[in-house]
Amino acid sequence: MLHTACLRKALKLLIFLFAAVTLTGCYSLKSVPLSSIPQSRNVIMLHADDSLWAVSNYTISEKDLTGLIYQDSLQISKTKVTHLYAAPLSAVQVEGTRITVPVGNIGKADYYTADWWQILGGTAMVAVLLLLLIPPLFLY
């Protein structure tokens, strides 16, 4: 009877810690200047007021950001997207599938990057939990 009570307590602790680790996620948001967007980011999510456009094949000049509105309906990986925030909505010019925004109207640039400390800490926590919880299962 004592064995099952300890097992239940250990299982509850494991579920709680597993939920805490997985809900925090491995990615964190990083804000950068517009000129520092990594080249590996090939899709821009352009936010302006309540509107949102996915932009691919973009170029950023000293004056304007121009690109094509992304037409593919496939899911875009979080590691390939940069979020740009522009204001006002009237500054965004859409002509067919081409979109143009003055660089001066872009207020913020964000992208998600892997948080290696969080990944390392989560991995270490799961390893410690496994080392502590597996031996009691085989003692009886």
Side-chain angles (χ1 to χ4, degrees):
M1 186 71 174
L2 181 64
H3 178 64
T4 58
C6 289
L7 202 58
R8 283 185 186 163
K9 192 180 286 187
L11 187 59
K12 287 178 186 177
L13 179 66
L14 178 68
I15 290 171
F16 172 75
L17 290 175
F18 182 73
V21 169
T22 56
L23 290 177
T24 59
C26 297
Y27 290 95
S28 63
L29 198 60
K30 182 176 182 180
S31 295
V32 294
L34 190 59
S35 59
S36 300
I37 296 175
Q39 293 299 322
S40 63
R41 309 289 169 150
N42 53 4
V43 175
I44 288 179
M45 297 302 284
L46 182 63
H47 304 263
D49 292 336
D50 291 336
S51 300
L52 176 67
W53 297 275
V55 180
S56 63
N57 298 330
Y58 63 90
T59 57
I60 302 172
S61 66
E62 290 182 23
K63 227 173 100 164
D64 292 330
L65 175 134
T66 58
L68 299 175
I69 297 175
Y70 198 68
Q71 299 295 324
D72 198 2
S73 63
L74 297 174
Q75 187 80 3
I76 303 168
S77 170
K78 185 185 276 191
T79 59
K80 298 289 183 187
V81 176
T82 301
H83 295 268
L84 297 181
Y85 301 90
L89 181 60
S90 60
V92 180
Q93 299 171 358
V94 179
E95 298 156 358
T97 60
R98 187 168 228 29
I99 193 165
T100 305
V101 182
V103 170
N105 290 70
I106 298 173
K108 186 176 175 186
D110 292 335
Y111 65 90
Y112 286 95
T113 182
D115 187 353
W116 293 106
W117 288 111
Q118 209 166 24
I119 293 170
L120 184 63
T123 305
M125 185 183 294
V126 169
V128 166
L129 284 173
L130 288 176
L131 289 174
L132 292 175
L133 295 177
I134 289 179
L137 295 176
F138 299 106
L139 288 178
Y140 293 98

